[in-house]
C-alpha cells in the first residue's frame, strides 16, 4: 500500500469543513464506543482522534499506521493530551493481516478505507481484520468517499480534457478541491468500467491546505456490500455527511457539536466538499467469543 500523508496546514476558507468532519468522527466514536471500551484505530495517522477517544472514556487504545513518522507524532500527542487510557502504537499496514490478539469494542477507520480499494484483497482484508477483532456487539465505524455523490457529479459537472498521451481526463471540483480521473475510454465506457471493474478505480484528489494530489480509489457500493457479507458484517448505519448534518441529535451530541464550534454549513462550495463523504457503521452478524 502506498503511504499517504495529509499536510497539517489548513486554509481558513475550509476551517468550517474541517470542524464538521471532525464532529462526524467524534459523534461516531462517542455513539458506538461504550464507556471503558477498547478501541483499535487503523490507521491512526498522527493521532488526531486521540482526544475523541479520551472524551468517549476509552480504557485502552491501539493505533497503527504505515508511516513511522506519523506513529512518532501520535505517541507525542498521546503524551501531550494526557489521555487516561493505556495505549500501544505500532507501525503496520492496515490493509495487510495484523498480528493482533485482543478484541475491541470499536474499530475506527477514518478517511482511509478507500486507499485499500486498489485491489480486492486489500479491501477485503481491512473488513476481515475488523470482523475478527470485534467483540460481540462491537462496531466498525468508517468514513470514506461517497460513490453516489461522485458519480452524480461526474454526470452533471465534469470537465473533459485530453492528456498528452491521448487519454481522457475527467475532472470535478473547483479551486478548493477537485477529483481527476484519467481513462483511455470515452465517458460512456469509463462510467461502465467503474461498475464492471470495482477495484483499482483511481483518481487524484486535491483539497487546498489539506491534501495535495493524493491517489485515491472509488468504493463501489455493491462490491462493498458483498465483501461485508463475506466477512459476516452488516451495515447498521450508512449516510452521506449532509444527511448526517440533518440528524436529530440527542442532547449529548448537541453539546458536543457546540463544544467543537460546528455550525450549519450554508456555502454551496463547502457543502459540495462535505457531501463527498459517507459515514458507515458495520457490526458482526453473529456473536463472536471474546479471547
Amino acid at each position: 500500500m502506498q503511504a499517504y500523508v495529509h499536510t497539517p496546514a489548513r486554509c481558513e476558507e475550509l476551517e468550517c469543513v474541517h470542524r464538521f468532519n471532525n464532529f462526524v468522527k467524534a459523534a461516531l466514536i462517542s455513539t458506538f464506543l461504550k464507556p471503558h471500551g477498547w478501541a483499535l484505530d487503523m490507521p491512526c495517522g498522527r493521532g488526531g482522534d486521540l482526544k475523541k477517544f479520551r472524551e468517549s472514556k476509552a480504557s485502552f487504545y491501539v493505533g497503527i499506521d504505515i508511516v513511522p513518522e506519523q506513529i512518532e507524532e501520535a505517541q507525542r500527542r498521546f503524551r501531550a493530551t494526557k489521555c487516561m487510557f493505556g495505549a500501544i502504537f505500532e507501525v503496520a499496514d492496515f490493509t495487510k493481516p495484523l498480528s493482533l490478539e485482543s478484541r475491541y469494542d470499536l474499530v475506527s477507520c477514518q478517511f482511509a478505507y478507500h486507499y485499500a480499494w486498489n485491489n480486492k484483497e486489500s479491501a477485503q482484508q481491512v473488513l476481515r481484520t475488523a470482523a475478527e477483532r470485534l467483540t460481540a456487539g462491537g462496531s466498525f465505524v468508517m468514513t470514506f468517499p461517497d460513490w453516489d455523490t461522485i458519480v452524480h457529479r461526474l454526470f452533471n459537472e465534469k470537465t473533459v480534457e485530453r492528456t498528452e498521451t491521448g487519454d481522457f481526463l475527467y475532472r470535478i471540483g473547483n479551486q478548493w478541491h477537485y477529483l481527476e480521473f484519467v481513462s483511455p475510454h470515452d465517458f460512456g465506457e469509463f462510467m461502465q468500467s467503474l461498475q464492471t471493474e470495482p477495484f483499482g478505480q483511481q483518481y487524484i484528489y486535491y483539497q487546498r491546505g489539506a491534501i495535495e494530489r493524493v491517489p485515491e480509489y472509488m468504493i463501489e457500493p455493491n462490491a462493498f456490500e458483498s465483501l461485508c457479507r463475506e466477512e459476516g458484517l452488516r451495515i447498521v448505519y450508512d449516510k452521506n455527511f449532509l444527511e448526517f448534518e440533518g440528524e436529530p441529535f440527542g442532547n449529548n451530541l448537541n453539546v458536543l457539536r457546540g463544544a467543537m464550534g460546528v455550525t450549519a454549513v450554508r456555502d454551496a462550495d463547502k457543502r459540495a466538499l462535505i457531501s463527498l463523504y459517507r459515514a458507515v457503521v458495520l457490526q458482526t452478524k453473529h456473536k463472536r467469543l471474546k479471547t
Side-chain angles (χ1 to χ4, degrees):
M1 172 187 165
Q2 180 176 352
Y4 63 94
V5 180
H6 293 187
T7 58
R10 301 189 302 273
C11 63
E12 293 182 4
E13 294 88 345
L14 296 180
E15 182 62 29
C16 69
V17 173
H18 175 78
R19 285 197 299 268
F20 185 85
N21 290 348
N22 252 336
F23 168 67
V24 172
K25 293 191 292 180
L28 290 172
I29 292 169
S30 66
T31 299
F32 290 96
L33 177 62
K34 63 184 181 181
H36 312 298
W38 284 35
L40 170 63
D41 194 3
M42 60 175 200
C44 66
R46 300 187 305 274
D49 291 336
L50 282 168
K51 289 184 179 179
K52 301 176 183 65
F53 289 101
R54 182 190 66 186
E55 297 303 313
S56 297
K57 298 180 172 56
S59 66
F60 191 73
Y61 169 96
V62 174
I64 65 169
D65 198 278
I66 195 173
V67 183
E69 292 79 11
Q70 298 203 144
I71 285 292
E72 292 173 4
E73 176 61 22
Q75 291 173 318
R76 286 192 290 269
R77 286 191 177 188
F78 176 75
R79 293 189 293 268
T81 304
K82 298 180 180 179
C83 296
M84 300 303 291
F85 52 79
I88 295 175
F89 297 89
E90 294 185 3
V91 176
D93 184 346
F94 82 112
T95 70
K96 305 295 184 183
L98 302 175
S99 57
L100 300 171
E101 297 181 356
S102 300
R103 294 196 183 274
Y104 303 88
D105 302 291
L106 182 136
V107 178
S108 179
C109 185
Q110 304 300 330
F111 296 98
Y113 181 49
H114 47 293
Y115 294 103
W117 273 66
N118 59 323
N119 60 70
K120 180 180 179 180
E121 291 72 23
S122 294
Q124 188 160 23
Q125 181 60 57
V126 175
L127 298 176
R128 181 169 298 161
T129 297
E132 292 176 346
R133 294 296 101 200
L134 281 172
T135 60
S139 299
F140 185 18
V141 298
M142 319 168 75
T143 50
F144 54 72
D146 187 307
W147 163 279
D148 291 336
T149 296
I150 295 172
V151 167
H152 175 81
R153 293 181 65 182
L154 279 169
F155 272 113
N156 294 281
E157 304 173 19
K158 69 181 180 300
T159 59
V160 183
E161 300 176 16
R162 298 299 290 265
T163 68
E164 293 181 355
T165 60
D167 290 329
F168 293 92
L169 188 152
Y170 304 108
R171 180 173 180 171
I172 59 174
N174 55 35
Q175 70 271 29
W176 306 115
H177 76 276
Y178 59 78
L179 285 72
E180 288 182 348
F181 295 82
V182 176
S183 172
H185 305 300
D186 64 27
F187 187 67
E189 292 178 331
F190 164 66
M191 294 304 295
Q192 185 177 11
S193 72
L194 291 183
Q195 292 186 317
T196 58
E197 304 169 20
F199 302 97
Q201 294 290 354
Q202 180 178 288
Y203 59 88
I204 298 298
Y205 183 58
Y206 169 82
Q207 183 186 139
R208 182 180 296 182
I211 303 172
E212 298 292 338
R213 292 187 58 82
V214 172
E216 300 185 347
Y217 298 90
M218 295 278 278
I219 296 180
E220 200 280 320
N222 292 328
F224 173 64
E225 292 179 13
S226 177
L227 291 183
C228 288
R229 287 193 298 270
E230 289 182 31
E231 297 306 322
L233 294 166
R234 60 190 177 97
I235 301 172
V236 298
Y237 185 92
D238 181 13
K239 291 193 177 182
N240 183 274
F241 273 23
L242 288 183
E243 295 178 279
F244 190 97
E245 184 183 28
E247 287 283 274
F249 299 118
N251 289 335
N252 290 340
L253 291 187
N254 281 329
V255 171
L256 175 64
R257 184 174 186 141
M260 297 182 71
V262 177
T263 57
V265 180
R266 308 293 186 189
D267 180 83
D269 284 342
K270 296 179 179 64
R271 289 179 65 83
L273 182 51
I274 288 173
S275 72
L276 284 174
Y277 294 96
R278 299 192 73 78
V280 177
V281 181
L282 308 176
Q283 293 179 345
T284 54
K285 292 182 179 180
H286 308 290
K287 291 185 178 180
R288 295 173 180 268
L289 297 176
K290 292 185 178 182
T291 57

